[in-house]
Amino acid sequence: MIPYYITPLNERWHKPLAEKIDNLTKPKGSLGRLEEVALQLGMIQQTLSPTLQRPTNIVFCADHGIVDEGVSFSPKEVTRQQLLHFLRGGAGISFVCKQHHFVLQVVDVGVDWDFDPNLQATAPMVEYYARKVRKGTDNYLHRPAMTHEEMERCMTIGAEQVDTCRQQGCNIVSFGELGMANTSSSSVWMHLFAHIPLQECVGAGSGLPSEGVKHKYEVLKKAVKNYRGNGSAEDLIAHFGGLEMVAAIGGMLRAAELHMAIIVDGFIMTACALAASQLHPHVLDYCIFGHCGDEAGHRKMLDAMHAKPLLNLGLRLGEGSGAVCAYPIIESAVCMINEMDSFAGAQVTKYF
């Protein structure tokens, strides 16, 4: 495995940040989660005046072999169709990135399609990266989704994308995914890493009816039963993961290593954060969970991680959309700590 050097948040910053927040012109704790987010950002950046610079949403794209088992409502070709849609700027993630001034990086790590080698994004603030490792994973009902070498290549690609963001001035990043059937991999990771019964982890994904959900559960139950690996986190990630999901894990780990804030999106990216924490537990110190989505099991996975999402809007699109929607809340937290007067500065008597 590539080494990541992820340190826990420096507790030396907790007291001065808390004192600054508590002495703003408001009752102590009255701005709730804004105060918690401001404190976390200050500790991540090791400053009393955190900033948000060049927010970037990275969408990793790849296909899944398990889709052949009928576990997804959406057919595999939607992956490559939506990737092209992202580049033209008309998708769901496109309007929220435009609204909140995010750079959108679209990264092909494993779409089962030969794109034009001259393919480029045509929408503003959208960047395309061709980093294909292979054309989709194998079907993990019968064999590992990928080799350990392929897993490491995906993690390296994810880390390199974050390096690019950092070089461009970014200090807060979110991740999204595109790949039909990736809720299946997420459900299995949730089951294996959070020790939650598999049936409670399996949902409708992009729109399966109840009979489809039952079939999906039976397929995944059989896939878990067929597993013959060594049970390590690395092996479970490689065996059941998607190429795009493993790239996101690498990106999250590098972002934490660089002391960047990570906005975690919905069910799939929460599963990636959970998997990343099996490799480096302190990665969660750098995670701000954007929302609780509408996919079955997401709330239970968040609870298992003691994560407190900022929003609950019934979203289940993926692509990083919920994370980007949560960004204005994070902006408000930064404005609060930087722009509110202190009691002493405003010559206001403390009234609590």
Side-chain angles (χ1 to χ4, degrees), residues 32 58 91 98 114 146 155 165 167 170 204 233-234 243 247 249 256 282 298 304 309 316:
I58 307 174
K98 181 179 179 181
D114 291 317
M146 67 191 80
M155 291 183 67
C165 294
Q167 291 161 9
C170 171
E234 292 90 342
L243 301 163
I249 291 172
H282 289 301
H298 192 195
R316 55 182 178 86

Side-chain angles (χ1 to χ4, degrees), residues 13-87:
W13 286 94
H14 188 281
K15 184 177 179 180
L17 280 161
E19 288 178 347
K20 180 178 181 180
I21 293 168
D22 289 346
N23 283 286
L24 300 176
T25 50
K26 58 176 180 54
K28 183 178 179 180
S30 62
L31 283 176
R33 292 302 311 283
L34 298 186
E35 299 187 24
E36 295 173 9
V37 171
L39 178 68
Q40 183 182 3
L41 283 171
M43 293 183 71
I44 289 171
Q45 297 179 11
Q46 299 185 9
T47 177
L48 295 178
S49 299
T51 62
L52 301 175
Q53 300 170 9
R54 195 177 167 84
T56 301
N57 184 61
I58 307 174
V59 180
F60 295 105
C61 310
D63 281 304
H64 290 246
I66 196 70
V67 78
D68 294 340
E69 303 300 325
V71 296
S72 173
F73 180 79
S74 302
K76 185 172 70 173
E77 61 263 26
V78 172
T79 306
R80 51 118 171 152
Q81 292 168 352
Q82 274 292 85
L83 183 149
L84 295 171
H85 197 195
F86 291 165
L87 301 186

Side-chain angles (χ1 to χ4, degrees), residues 152-164:
E152 292 194 17
R153 283 178 62 194
C154 288
M155 291 183 67
T156 298
I157 289 167
E160 289 173 351
Q161 288 302 133
V162 170
D163 287 339
T164 297

Side-chain angles (χ1 to χ4, degrees), residues 64 137 140 145-146 185 189 236-243 245-246:
H64 290 246
T137 56
Y140 56 73
M146 67 191 80
S185 294
W189 282 356
L236 293 171
I237 289 170
H239 191 99
F240 294 105
L243 301 163
M245 298 169 68
V246 176

